[in-house]
Amino acid sequence: MIEKLFSLFSKDMAIDLGTSNTLVYVKGEGVVLNEPSVVATIENEGRSEVLAVGDEAKKMLGRTPGKIKAIRPMKDGVIGDFEVAEQMIKHFIKKVHKGRTLTNPQII
């Protein structure tokens, strides 16, 4: 009973971090997100800030000025940049939840 109540506020999901694309599967809905594993960051006062993730960041590959970098955090099937990969995963989770989370989702 309680699980059904919490499922109204949170979606259980599985994330496949691929070298080229990341897939997000939601229980009962199927694959709801299929976007490139790319993150665009900007150097600002010695800190890196995320500008874009997924499709938006892929458009920036090879077309960015000096302060902006388009990064693929996955290298040869493993995480090459943990901080950038973490930001990418957070972005995709928020995108699937559409910013509305009252409870933490179960993620595989």
Side-chain angles (χ1 to χ4, degrees):
M1 173 78 172
I2 292 176
E3 280 185 30
K4 288 183 181 180
L5 179 64
F6 283 133
S7 70
L8 296 173
F9 303 110
S10 178
K11 298 178 179 183
D12 295 341
M13 61 182 72
I15 300 174
D16 175 17
L17 294 174
T19 301
S20 59
N21 278 1
T22 297
L23 302 172
V24 177
Y25 171 89
V26 173
K27 185 177 178 181
E29 296 180 31
V31 175
V32 295
L33 186 124
N34 180 1
E35 289 201 26
S37 300
V38 182
V39 179
T41 61
I42 186 168
E43 285 292 322
N44 191 10
E45 297 177 9
R47 284 189 12 218
S48 231
E49 294 181 25
V50 175
L51 282 179
V53 178
D55 289 323
E56 296 172 19
K58 185 176 180 184
K59 293 175 188 174
M60 296 180 184
L61 280 173
R63 298 182 172 118
T64 59
K67 286 187 171 185
I68 300 174
K69 296 179 185 173
I71 303 166
R72 289 190 175 272
M74 305 296 293
K75 306 277 189 226
D76 299 323
V78 297
I79 298 174
D81 189 328
F82 284 99
E83 288 80 19
V84 175
E86 178 184 12
Q87 295 302 317
M88 180 180 73
I89 293 167
K90 284 180 181 180
H91 174 82
F92 288 149
I93 291 170
K94 285 179 184 176
K95 190 170 185 175
V96 168
H97 271 274
K98 296 177 180 60
R100 300 170 295 172
T101 57
L102 297 177
T103 62
N104 292 329
Q106 291 184 8
I107 301 174
I108 298 174

